[in-house]
Amino acid sequence: ADSDGDGYGDPAVSFVGCSAPSGYVSDNSDCNDSDPTVNPNPDCSTTTRTWTGHISTDWNEACNWSPNCVPTSSNEVIISNGDEVTISSGIVDLKRITLTGGSNLVVGNDAVLNISTNSGHGLYADCSTCLLTNNGEINITGGSRGLVSDHEIINNVGATINVTNNNNSCISLWGHNGTSSNYGTINCYGTATT
């Protein structure tokens, strides 16, 4: 069946017969049949990637994104469905990332998150329950503010956050719930202040 109308069907929903009934297609290779932008032929030219978490919490699983393309350095990322998303290892390069809706981002021990933006916030946790947990390395360059949180930032032992050349601030804790627990290293370079 092709529930989202993108021409690709859900492999878990099939029909055996001489001709397909309405809503069914012959190609059953859709990994997320509830989102028409997720299919075997995605448009990866769009600049924004939205987390769906359809398959797992793994950052590098393409079917967790809409469209189903793992984000790159030219992409802005939105995680808004309340999931905990994990960058377990490797190097991830982004333009910007925004957490909303109670979402959590975990940067693993063997992971590096690089954010390079020309304007706005590099990493923005825009909700009173969003959580950023860093066990690896986060590097934010450019923008008006490096890291902004309305809730909690945890920088664990051995972890590093580097913020460079931000116009207004290195790390901003907003709202009534903004807290930071730093057990690692935070470096602010350039004109930014903490």
Side-chain angles (χ1 to χ4, degrees):
D2 181 18
S3 298
D4 59 12
D6 63 2
Y8 303 93
D10 183 345
V13 180
S14 62
F15 173 82
V16 177
C18 294
S19 62
S22 177
Y24 283 76
V25 293
S26 60
D27 186 324
N28 69 346
S29 57
D30 200 337
C31 65
N32 183 349
D33 205 32
S34 62
D35 184 342
T37 66
V38 176
N39 59 62
N41 246 345
D43 179 5
C44 293
S45 66
T46 60
T47 58
T48 301
R49 300 284 185 273
T50 303
W51 176 264
T52 65
H54 187 72
I55 302 292
S56 65
T57 62
D58 182 9
W59 181 277
N60 292 310
E61 169 57 58
C63 282
N64 284 330
W65 297 98
S66 178
N68 55 309
C69 314
V70 175
T72 66
S73 61
S74 61
N75 298 131
E76 296 184 19
V77 167
I78 299 170
I79 302 171
S80 61
N81 62 353
D83 280 353
E84 180 173 291
V85 180
T86 303
I87 304 171
S88 56
S89 62
I91 298 172
V92 172
D93 296 320
L94 300 173
K95 186 175 183 180
R96 179 176 297 119
I97 186 167
T98 301
L99 303 174
T100 63
S103 300
N104 300 324
L105 177 64
V106 178
V107 178
N109 292 347
D110 298 322
V112 177
L113 173 59
N114 296 316
I115 299 170
S116 181
T117 186
N118 294 328
S119 63
H121 311 311
L123 195 158
Y124 187 20
D126 184 22
C127 69
S128 61
T129 57
C130 292
L131 174 63
L132 169 66
T133 304
N134 183 32
N135 299 304
E137 182 178 333
I138 298 174
N139 301 301
I140 304 171
T141 304
S144 60
R145 289 184 170 84
L147 196 159
V148 177
S149 177
D150 288 347
H151 187 54
E152 188 171 10
I153 301 166
I154 300 173
N155 194 44
N156 282 318
V157 173
T160 303
I161 298 174
N162 297 306
V163 181
T164 305
N165 291 331
N166 296 87
N167 298 330
N168 293 326
S169 63
C170 175
I171 296 176
S172 297
L173 302 173
W174 288 2
H176 300 292
N177 296 319
T179 63
S180 173
S181 300
N182 182 31
Y183 308 103
T185 303
I186 297 176
N187 297 307
C188 296
Y189 304 103
T191 60
T193 59
T194 306

